[in-house]
Structure formats: C-alpha cells, structure tokens
Amino acid sequence: MRVEAVELRRVHLPLVRPFVTSAGPSVARESLLVRLFSDETEGWGECVALDEPLYTSEYVDAAQHVTRHHLVPRLLAAGEVGAHDVARLLAPVQGHQMAKAALEMAALDAELHVIGQSLADHLGATRSEVDCGVAVGMAPSTAALLDEVGGYLAQGYRRIKLKVQPGADLGPVAAVRGRFGDVPLQVDANGSYTVGQWPLLAALDPFDLLLIEQPVAAADLLGAAEVARRIRTPICLDESITSAAATAVALHIGACSVVNVKPGRVGGLLEAVRVHDLCRAAGVAVWCGGMLETGLGRAANLALAALPGFTLPGDLSGSARYFSRDLTEPFVPEDGRLRVPTGPGLGVQPIPAALRDLTTSVELLR
C-alpha cells in the first residue's frame, strides 16, 4: 500500500477514579491516536506514551513531535510499504518505541482491512477469549484497598495486581491475602526498590504471589538477577523489556522468570510477537500489560494476548475499569474473560460521536 496521509489526533478521556502509582496519580488519559490513510483504506493506531516521562523517557508531547517531524515523513516518502516494513523504515530514528508502535499498529489495521483478516489471526492467536486481570493503584487506606479489590473480584476478575513501593508493600499484601485468601495475586514495584532492599521483597515470599514485577530500575538487569537469586517469588520484568534482544539478555543472566509484554514499549505488535516467541521457546511465561489504553489499544492487546504463550492473565480489564466513555464500543468482561475481536484489522472502530466529543486537537500530514 502507499501511505498518502497520517492524521495525528489528541483525545482526552477522564478516568473514573484516579490511578495512583509510585510515579504519581493520573486523573485522565491524554492519548495520541494516529490514523493512517493509504491508497486503499485507512487504519487506526494508538500511542501509549503517558503525559510525563515517568514510566519511560517517552511522553505524549514528544511522541507527537517525533511522529510529525521524523517518523511520518519517512512513511510518506517510502512509496509502496507493508506493515512489516514499518519498523525497518523507522529504525534510523533512535528510540521513540511507543510512537513507532502506533504507526505500525495503524499500518497493520489498514493492511488487514484490505485482505479481510483479523489482527488476532494475523499474529497467530489460538484463543477466542482471554482471562482478565486488574491493576489496583495505591489506595488511601487499607479499607479503601479492600473495598476496591472486593469490587473487582465480584465482577469476576481472575487476577489482582497491587502497586507497591518501600514502606507500602507488606501491609497491603497481607491485608488482601487475609481478606480474600488464595486469589491469584501479584505486585508491581515499578522499579522502586534497590538491590540492597531485597529483604523487603523477600518478606513477601510467604504470601504465595504469582510474581513481583520490576522490582529494581529498568536498566539494572544485574540487580534484578541478584534479587531473583535471593528471593523465592518469581521476578517479572516490565520496563526492562524493550525488545526481543533485551529479553534474550534478561533471560540469559537469570534476571527474570516471567515477562510482561507491552507492544508500545517494545516498538510494536510484531516485535511483541518476537518477544513472545523467544519466551515460549525458553519455557518462560508471558502476559500482556496495559497502559490505560482506549478501546483501540485494548483491541490490539487482546489480539496479542490470545497467542499461545500468554499463560498468565494480563492487565486486560473492561473499559469501565478506566473510562465512563470509551472511544469504541466498550469491552465488557463475561465471567472474567474478554472476547478477542474477530473483525478485519483491529476489529473495532471509534464511535464518531465519542471521537468528536473527546478530541482536543487534530492535524493532518500529507
């Protein structure tokens, strides 16, 4: 296909409740959407960069800038291009994985619409529905935390993830285990511990957690390996997993025994599949993380999470977990599972009225 234009659209979606992590609270999702127009059709992508560079170095204003000035011009100048060519064409631009991933997602959506194939089938999905897990931010009190977790379990969610940090770890985990027994439970530290604080993490071993996610800073793979040697709970890496190559290094040195795959963080859905394939060959469990995506990004994540190596529930909640109004028809769990879209491409489209009401700016690049 030939890329003729790309629309950059900013949308603002208030969250139903603030989502609090060690990086700070979020009260709304400010998202960058890309809409790719080809000579045959169009496709949608979503950039998952956050408002500020607190999760990774990427943030939404920078993503829009690099997309406008450095990424889209390369696609417009490329002539005939397939979705599988996007990563190669954008490779001269260093970094900016989330911006690149959004363009690849839009190219996949457009290309698959032409041939009438779903994204799930294209990626190699083997399931028609996936288990739902939910990430619970830091609560103002233990009572509030237990009420929130209880509400999600009543809705059928099959796994609970708690955000933790030094000084706010043992108490919340003990409270949830004490109230809800053997519910599948894991924690996410977002890199907030140092290697020397491993005894704090070892104190969580008696609680039979599925895993501890990203205990130390993203760049500290040796530190993650040291923590993994000292505690019994499996270590999962998130921010450290930036590509299939980075995954191979982490596995080789024993830095993790579980991997969280986020397409935006690794540069796109196709690289995410390569991470999945590498882990599956090594017998390492993978699961799909979330970045407060709209229905567009959620549809893509569901297609990815339906691959055979995704053996743990991911952060794949229903739309109502985050938004009172989504851009697409809402995703609603049934018995703790979400159905994988089966239509061409992403299998979902923005609702015109929602797109109009939630858009804050639009620019068209030709």
Side-chain angles (χ1 to χ4, degrees), residues 78-157:
E80 289 294 320
V81 58
H84 286 251
D85 301 319
V86 171
R88 173 182 57 82
L89 291 169
L90 303 183
V93 178
Q94 298 299 300
H96 301 283
Q97 301 291 71
M98 294 176 179
K100 293 176 180 178
L103 286 168
E104 183 191 83
M105 176 179 162
L108 280 166
D109 188 34
E111 186 171 276
L112 295 175
H113 267 95
V114 173
I115 63 175
Q117 184 182 39
S118 72
L119 178 62
D121 285 345
H122 185 75
L123 297 181
T126 57
R127 296 191 295 274
S128 60
E129 55 185 18
V130 299
D131 288 346
C132 295
V134 64
V136 182
M138 294 178 179
S141 68
T142 299
L145 173 66
L146 295 176
D147 285 346
E148 187 172 0
V149 171
Y152 294 134
L153 292 175
Q155 294 173 42
Y157 282 99

Coordinates of all heavy atoms in Angstrom, one line a residue, residues 78-157:
A78 N 8.2 6.6 1.4 CA 8.7 5.3 1.1 C 8.0 4.6 -0.1 O 8.5 3.6 -0.5 CB 8.3 4.4 2.4
G79 N 7.0 5.2 -0.7 CA 6.3 4.6 -1.8 C 5.5 3.4 -1.3 O 4.8 3.5 -0.2
E80 N 5.6 2.3 -2.0 CA 4.8 1.1 -1.5 C 5.4 0.5 -0.2 O 6.6 0.3 -0.2 CB 4.9 0.0 -2.6 CG 4.0 0.3 -3.9 CD 2.5 0.4 -3.5 OE1 2.1 -0.5 -2.8 OE2 1.9 1.3 -4.1
V81 N 4.6 0.3 0.7 CA 5.1 -0.1 2.0 C 4.0 -1.1 2.7 O 2.8 -0.9 2.5 CB 5.3 1.1 3.0 CG1 4.1 1.9 3.2 CG2 5.9 0.6 4.3
G82 N 4.5 -2.1 3.3 CA 3.7 -3.0 4.1 C 3.9 -2.8 5.5 O 4.9 -2.2 6.0
A83 N 2.9 -3.3 6.3 CA 3.0 -3.1 7.8 C 4.3 -3.7 8.3 O 4.9 -3.2 9.3 CB 1.8 -3.7 8.4
H84 N 4.8 -4.8 7.7 CA 6.0 -5.4 8.2 C 7.3 -4.7 7.8 O 8.4 -5.0 8.3 CB 6.1 -6.9 7.7 CG 5.1 -7.8 8.4 ND1 5.5 -8.8 9.3 CD2 3.8 -7.9 8.4 CE1 4.5 -9.4 9.7 NE2 3.4 -8.9 9.2
D85 N 7.1 -3.6 7.0 CA 8.2 -2.8 6.6 C 8.4 -1.6 7.6 O 9.4 -0.9 7.5 CB 8.1 -2.2 5.2 CG 8.0 -3.3 4.2 OD1 8.7 -4.3 4.3 OD2 7.1 -3.2 3.3
V86 N 7.4 -1.3 8.4 CA 7.4 0.0 9.1 C 8.5 0.1 10.1 O 9.2 1.1 10.1 CB 6.0 0.1 9.9 CG1 6.1 1.3 10.8 CG2 4.9 0.3 8.9
A87 N 8.8 -1.0 10.8 CA 9.9 -0.9 11.8 C 11.2 -0.7 11.1 O 12.0 0.1 11.6 CB 9.9 -2.2 12.6
R88 N 11.5 -1.3 10.0 CA 12.7 -1.1 9.3 C 12.8 0.4 8.7 O 13.9 1.0 8.8 CB 12.8 -2.1 8.1 CG 14.0 -1.8 7.2 CD 14.0 -2.8 6.0 NE 12.7 -2.8 5.2 CZ 12.5 -1.9 4.3 NH1 13.4 -0.9 4.0 NH2 11.3 -1.9 3.6
L89 N 11.8 0.9 8.2 CA 11.8 2.2 7.7 C 12.0 3.3 8.8 O 12.6 4.3 8.5 CB 10.5 2.5 7.0 CG 10.2 1.8 5.7 CD1 8.8 2.0 5.2 CD2 11.2 2.2 4.6
L90 N 11.5 3.0 10.0 CA 11.6 4.0 11.1 C 12.9 3.8 11.9 O 13.2 4.6 12.8 CB 10.4 3.9 12.0 CG 9.0 4.2 11.3 CD1 7.9 4.1 12.3 CD2 9.1 5.5 10.5
A91 N 13.6 2.7 11.7 CA 14.8 2.3 12.5 C 15.9 3.4 12.6 O 16.5 3.5 13.6 CB 15.4 1.0 12.0
P92 N 16.1 4.2 11.5 CA 17.1 5.2 11.6 C 16.8 6.2 12.8 O 17.8 6.9 13.3 CB 17.1 5.9 10.3 CG 16.6 4.8 9.3 CD 15.6 4.1 10.1
V93 N 15.6 6.4 13.1 CA 15.2 7.3 14.3 C 15.5 6.5 15.5 O 14.8 5.5 15.8 CB 13.8 7.8 14.2 CG1 13.4 8.6 15.4 CG2 13.6 8.5 12.9
Q94 N 16.3 7.0 16.4 CA 16.7 6.2 17.6 C 15.6 6.4 18.7 O 15.1 7.4 18.9 CB 18.0 6.7 18.2 CG 19.2 6.5 17.2 CD 19.4 5.1 16.9 OE1 19.7 4.2 17.8 NE2 19.3 4.7 15.6
G95 N 15.3 5.2 19.3 CA 14.3 5.3 20.4 C 12.9 5.5 19.9 O 12.5 5.1 18.8
H96 N 12.1 6.1 20.8 CA 10.7 6.5 20.5 C 9.9 5.3 20.1 O 9.1 5.3 19.1 CB 10.6 7.6 19.4 CG 11.4 8.9 19.8 ND1 10.8 9.8 20.7 CD2 12.6 9.3 19.5 CE1 11.7 10.8 20.9 NE2 12.8 10.5 20.2
Q97 N 10.0 4.2 20.9 CA 9.3 3.0 20.5 C 7.8 3.1 20.5 O 7.1 2.5 19.7 CB 9.8 1.9 21.6 CG 11.2 1.6 21.6 CD 11.8 0.9 20.4 OE1 11.8 1.6 19.3 NE2 12.1 -0.3 20.5
M98 N 7.3 3.9 21.4 CA 5.8 4.0 21.5 C 5.2 4.7 20.3 O 4.1 4.3 19.8 CB 5.4 4.6 22.8 CG 5.7 3.8 24.1 SD 5.4 4.7 25.6 CE 5.9 3.4 26.8
A99 N 5.9 5.7 19.9 CA 5.5 6.4 18.7 C 5.5 5.5 17.4 O 4.6 5.5 16.6 CB 6.3 7.7 18.5
K100 N 6.6 4.8 17.3 CA 6.8 3.9 16.2 C 5.7 2.8 16.3 O 5.1 2.4 15.2 CB 8.2 3.2 16.2 CG 9.3 4.2 16.0 CD 10.6 3.5 16.1 CE 11.8 4.4 15.9 NZ 13.1 3.8 16.1
A101 N 5.4 2.3 17.5 CA 4.4 1.2 17.6 C 3.0 1.7 17.1 O 2.3 0.9 16.6 CB 4.4 0.8 19.1
A102 N 2.7 2.9 17.4 CA 1.4 3.4 17.0 C 1.3 3.4 15.5 O 0.2 3.1 14.9 CB 1.2 4.8 17.5
L103 N 2.3 3.8 14.8 CA 2.3 3.8 13.3 C 2.2 2.4 12.7 O 1.5 2.2 11.8 CB 3.5 4.6 12.7 CG 3.4 6.1 12.9 CD1 4.8 6.7 12.6 CD2 2.3 6.7 12.0
E104 N 3.0 1.5 13.3 CA 2.9 0.1 12.9 C 1.5 -0.5 13.1 O 1.0 -1.2 12.2 CB 3.9 -0.7 13.6 CG 3.9 -2.2 13.1 CD 4.8 -3.1 14.0 OE1 4.2 -3.5 15.0 OE2 5.9 -3.3 13.6
M105 N 0.9 -0.2 14.2 CA -0.5 -0.6 14.5 C -1.5 -0.1 13.5 O -2.3 -0.9 13.0 CB -0.9 -0.2 15.9 CG -2.3 -0.5 16.4 SD -2.5 0.1 18.1 CE -4.3 0.1 18.2
A106 N -1.3 1.2 13.1 CA -2.2 1.7 12.1 C -2.0 1.1 10.8 O -3.0 0.8 10.0 CB -2.0 3.3 12.1
A107 N -0.8 0.8 10.4 CA -0.5 0.2 9.2 C -1.0 -1.3 9.1 O -1.6 -1.7 8.1 CB 1.0 0.2 8.9
L108 N -0.9 -2.0 10.2 CA -1.5 -3.3 10.3 C -3.0 -3.3 10.2 O -3.6 -4.1 9.4 CB -1.1 -4.0 11.6 CG 0.3 -4.6 11.7 CD1 0.6 -4.9 13.2 CD2 0.4 -5.9 10.9
D109 N -3.6 -2.3 10.9 CA -5.1 -2.2 10.8 C -5.5 -1.9 9.4 O -6.5 -2.6 8.9 CB -5.6 -1.1 11.7 CG -7.1 -1.0 11.9 OD1 -7.7 -2.1 11.8 OD2 -7.6 0.1 12.0
A110 N -4.8 -1.0 8.7 CA -5.2 -0.7 7.3 C -5.0 -1.9 6.4 O -5.8 -2.3 5.6 CB -4.4 0.5 6.8
E111 N -3.8 -2.5 6.5 CA -3.5 -3.6 5.6 C -4.4 -4.8 5.8 O -4.8 -5.4 4.8 CB -2.0 -4.0 5.9 CG -1.4 -5.0 4.9 CD 0.1 -5.2 5.1 OE1 0.8 -4.4 4.6 OE2 0.4 -6.1 5.9
L112 N -4.7 -5.1 7.0 CA -5.6 -6.3 7.3 C -7.0 -6.0 6.8 O -7.8 -6.9 6.5 CB -5.5 -6.6 8.7 CG -4.1 -7.1 9.2 CD1 -4.1 -7.4 10.7 CD2 -3.7 -8.4 8.4
H113 N -7.4 -4.7 6.8 CA -8.8 -4.4 6.3 C -8.9 -4.8 4.8 O -9.9 -5.2 4.4 CB -9.1 -2.9 6.5 CG -9.8 -2.7 7.8 ND1 -9.2 -2.3 9.0 CD2 -11.2 -2.7 8.1 CE1 -10.1 -2.1 9.9 NE2 -11.3 -2.4 9.4
V114 N -7.8 -4.5 4.1 CA -7.8 -4.8 2.7 C -8.0 -6.3 2.4 O -8.7 -6.7 1.5 CB -6.5 -4.3 2.0 CG1 -6.4 -4.7 0.6 CG2 -6.4 -2.7 2.1
I115 N -7.3 -7.1 3.2 CA -7.4 -8.6 2.9 C -8.5 -9.3 3.7 O -8.7 -10.5 3.6 CB -6.0 -9.2 3.1 CG1 -5.6 -9.1 4.6 CG2 -5.0 -8.6 2.2 CD1 -4.3 -9.9 4.9
G116 N -9.1 -8.5 4.6 CA -10.3 -9.0 5.4 C -9.8 -10.0 6.5 O -10.6 -10.9 6.9
Q117 N -8.6 -9.8 7.1 CA -8.1 -10.7 8.1 C -8.1 -10.0 9.4 O -7.7 -8.8 9.5 CB -6.7 -11.2 7.8 CG -6.1 -12.2 8.7 CD -4.7 -12.6 8.4 OE1 -3.9 -11.8 8.0 NE2 -4.4 -13.9 8.6
S118 N -8.4 -10.7 10.5 CA -8.3 -10.0 11.9 C -6.9 -10.0 12.3 O -6.0 -10.8 11.9 CB -9.1 -10.8 12.9 OG -8.5 -12.1 13.2
L119 N -6.6 -9.0 13.2 CA -5.3 -8.9 13.8 C -4.9 -10.1 14.6 O -3.7 -10.6 14.5 CB -5.2 -7.6 14.7 CG -3.9 -7.4 15.4 CD1 -2.7 -7.2 14.4 CD2 -4.0 -6.2 16.4
A120 N -5.9 -10.7 15.3 CA -5.6 -11.9 16.1 C -5.1 -13.0 15.2 O -4.1 -13.7 15.5 CB -6.8 -12.3 16.8
D121 N -5.8 -13.3 14.1 CA -5.4 -14.3 13.2 C -4.0 -14.0 12.6 O -3.2 -14.9 12.4 CB -6.4 -14.5 12.1 CG -7.7 -15.2 12.5 OD1 -7.7 -15.8 13.6 OD2 -8.7 -15.1 11.8
H122 N -3.8 -12.8 12.2 CA -2.5 -12.4 11.6 C -1.3 -12.7 12.6 O -0.3 -13.1 12.1 CB -2.5 -10.9 11.2 CG -1.3 -10.5 10.5 ND1 -1.1 -10.8 9.1 CD2 -0.3 -9.7 10.8 CE1 0.0 -10.3 8.7 NE2 0.6 -9.6 9.8
L123 N -1.5 -12.4 13.9 CA -0.5 -12.5 14.8 C -0.3 -14.0 15.2 O 0.8 -14.3 15.8 CB -0.7 -11.7 16.1 CG -0.8 -10.2 15.8 CD1 -1.0 -9.5 17.2 CD2 0.5 -9.6 15.2
G124 N -1.3 -14.8 15.0 CA -1.2 -16.2 15.4 C -1.9 -16.6 16.6 O -1.6 -17.6 17.3
A125 N -3.0 -15.9 16.9 CA -3.8 -16.2 18.1 C -4.4 -17.6 18.0 O -4.8 -18.1 17.0 CB -4.9 -15.2 18.3
T126 N -4.5 -18.2 19.2 CA -5.1 -19.6 19.3 C -6.3 -19.6 20.2 O -6.9 -20.7 20.4 CB -4.1 -20.6 19.8 OG1 -3.6 -20.1 21.1 CG2 -2.9 -20.7 18.9
R127 N -6.7 -18.5 20.8 CA -7.9 -18.4 21.7 C -8.8 -17.3 21.2 O -8.5 -16.3 20.7 CB -7.4 -18.2 23.1 CG -6.6 -19.2 23.7 CD -6.4 -19.1 25.2 NE -5.6 -17.8 25.6 CZ -4.3 -17.7 25.6 NH1 -3.6 -18.8 25.3 NH2 -3.7 -16.6 25.9
S128 N -10.1 -17.6 21.6 CA -11.1 -16.6 21.2 C -11.5 -15.6 22.3 O -12.2 -14.6 22.1 CB -12.4 -17.3 20.7 OG -12.9 -18.1 21.8
E129 N -11.0 -15.9 23.5 CA -11.2 -15.0 24.7 C -10.0 -15.2 25.6 O -9.3 -16.2 25.6 CB -12.5 -15.3 25.4 CG -12.6 -16.8 25.8 CD -14.0 -17.0 26.5 OE1 -14.9 -16.2 26.2 OE2 -14.1 -18.1 27.2
V130 N -9.7 -14.2 26.4 CA -8.6 -14.2 27.3 C -9.0 -13.8 28.7 O -10.0 -13.1 28.9 CB -7.5 -13.2 26.9 CG1 -6.9 -13.6 25.5 CG2 -7.9 -11.8 26.8
D131 N -8.3 -14.3 29.7 CA -8.6 -14.0 31.1 C -8.3 -12.6 31.4 O -7.3 -12.0 31.0 CB -7.8 -14.9 32.0 CG -8.3 -16.3 32.1 OD1 -9.4 -16.6 31.6 OD2 -7.5 -17.2 32.6
C132 N -9.1 -12.0 32.3 CA -9.0 -10.6 32.6 C -8.3 -10.5 34.0 O -8.6 -11.2 35.0 CB -10.3 -9.9 32.8 SG -11.2 -9.7 31.3
G133 N -7.3 -9.6 34.1 CA -6.7 -9.2 35.3 C -6.9 -7.7 35.5 O -7.1 -7.0 34.6
V134 N -6.7 -7.3 36.7 CA -6.9 -5.8 37.0 C -5.7 -5.3 37.9 O -5.3 -6.0 38.8 CB -8.2 -5.6 37.7 CG1 -8.3 -6.2 39.1 CG2 -8.6 -4.1 37.8
A135 N -5.2 -4.1 37.5 CA -4.2 -3.5 38.3 C -4.8 -2.5 39.2 O -5.6 -1.6 38.8 CB -3.2 -2.8 37.3
V136 N -4.5 -2.6 40.5 CA -5.1 -1.7 41.5 C -4.0 -0.7 42.0 O -2.9 -1.1 42.5 CB -5.6 -2.5 42.7 CG1 -6.2 -1.6 43.8 CG2 -6.6 -3.6 42.2
G137 N -4.3 0.6 41.8 CA -3.3 1.6 42.3 C -3.3 1.7 43.8 O -4.0 1.0 44.5
M138 N -2.3 2.5 44.2 CA -2.2 2.7 45.7 C -3.4 3.4 46.3 O -3.8 4.4 45.8 CB -0.9 3.4 46.0 CG 0.3 2.7 45.6 SD 1.9 3.6 45.8 CE 3.1 2.4 45.3
A139 N -4.0 2.8 47.3 CA -5.2 3.3 47.9 C -4.9 4.2 49.1 O -3.8 4.0 49.7 CB -6.1 2.1 48.3
P140 N -5.8 5.1 49.4 CA -5.5 6.0 50.6 C -5.6 5.3 51.9 O -5.1 5.8 52.9 CB -6.7 7.0 50.4 CG -7.7 6.3 49.7 CD -7.0 5.4 48.7
S141 N -6.2 4.1 52.0 CA -6.3 3.4 53.2 C -6.5 1.9 52.9 O -6.9 1.5 51.8 CB -7.5 3.9 54.1 OG -8.7 3.5 53.4
T142 N -6.2 1.1 54.0 CA -6.4 -0.4 53.8 C -7.9 -0.7 53.5 O -8.2 -1.5 52.7 CB -6.0 -1.1 55.1 OG1 -4.6 -0.8 55.3 CG2 -6.2 -2.6 54.9
A143 N -8.8 0.0 54.2 CA -10.2 -0.3 54.0 C -10.6 0.0 52.5 O -11.4 -0.7 51.9 CB -11.1 0.6 54.9
A144 N -10.1 1.2 52.0 CA -10.4 1.5 50.6 C -9.8 0.5 49.7 O -10.5 0.1 48.6 CB -9.8 2.9 50.3
L145 N -8.6 0.0 49.9 CA -8.0 -1.0 49.1 C -8.8 -2.3 49.1 O -9.1 -2.9 48.0 CB -6.6 -1.3 49.6 CG -5.9 -2.5 48.9 CD1 -5.6 -2.2 47.4 CD2 -4.6 -2.8 49.6
L146 N -9.3 -2.8 50.2 CA -10.0 -4.0 50.3 C -11.4 -3.8 49.6 O -11.9 -4.8 49.0 CB -10.2 -4.4 51.8 CG -8.9 -4.8 52.5 CD1 -9.2 -5.1 54.0 CD2 -8.3 -6.0 51.8
D147 N -12.0 -2.7 49.8 CA -13.3 -2.4 49.1 C -13.1 -2.5 47.6 O -13.9 -3.1 46.8 CB -13.8 -1.1 49.5 CG -14.4 -1.1 50.9 OD1 -14.6 -2.2 51.4 OD2 -14.7 0.0 51.4
E148 N -12.0 -1.9 47.1 CA -11.7 -1.9 45.6 C -11.5 -3.3 45.1 O -12.0 -3.7 44.1 CB -10.6 -0.9 45.3 CG -10.3 -0.7 43.8 CD -9.3 0.3 43.5 OE1 -8.7 0.9 44.4 OE2 -9.1 0.6 42.3
V149 N -10.6 -4.0 45.8 CA -10.3 -5.4 45.4 C -11.5 -6.2 45.4 O -11.8 -7.0 44.5 CB -9.2 -6.0 46.2 CG1 -9.0 -7.5 46.0 CG2 -7.8 -5.2 46.0
G150 N -12.3 -6.1 46.5 CA -13.5 -6.9 46.6 C -14.5 -6.6 45.4 O -15.1 -7.5 44.9
G151 N -14.6 -5.4 45.0 CA -15.4 -5.0 43.9 C -15.0 -5.7 42.6 O -15.8 -6.2 41.9
Y152 N -13.7 -5.7 42.4 CA -13.2 -6.3 41.2 C -13.4 -7.8 41.2 O -13.8 -8.4 40.1 CB -11.7 -6.0 40.9 CG -11.5 -4.5 40.7 CD1 -10.5 -3.8 41.3 CD2 -12.3 -3.8 39.8 CE1 -10.2 -2.5 41.1 CE2 -12.1 -2.5 39.5 CZ -11.0 -1.8 40.2 OH -10.8 -0.5 40.0
L153 N -13.2 -8.4 42.3 CA -13.4 -9.9 42.4 C -14.9 -10.2 42.2 O -15.2 -11.2 41.5 CB -12.9 -10.4 43.7 CG -11.4 -10.4 43.9 CD1 -11.1 -10.8 45.4 CD2 -10.7 -11.2 42.9
A154 N -15.8 -9.3 42.7 CA -17.2 -9.6 42.5 C -17.6 -9.4 41.0 O -18.5 -10.0 40.5 CB -18.0 -8.5 43.3
Q155 N -16.8 -8.6 40.3 CA -17.0 -8.5 38.8 C -16.5 -9.7 38.0 O -16.6 -9.7 36.8 CB -16.4 -7.2 38.3 CG -17.1 -5.9 38.9 CD -16.3 -4.7 38.5 OE1 -15.9 -4.5 37.4 NE2 -16.2 -3.8 39.4
G156 N -15.7 -10.6 38.7 CA -15.2 -11.7 38.0 C -13.8 -11.7 37.6 O -13.3 -12.6 36.9
Y157 N -13.0 -10.6 37.9 CA -11.6 -10.6 37.5 C -10.9 -11.7 38.1 O -11.0 -12.1 39.2 CB -11.0 -9.2 37.9 CG -11.4 -8.1 37.0 CD1 -12.5 -7.2 37.3 CD2 -10.8 -7.9 35.8 CE1 -12.8 -6.2 36.5 CE2 -11.2 -6.9 34.9 CZ -12.2 -6.1 35.3 OH -12.6 -5.1 34.4

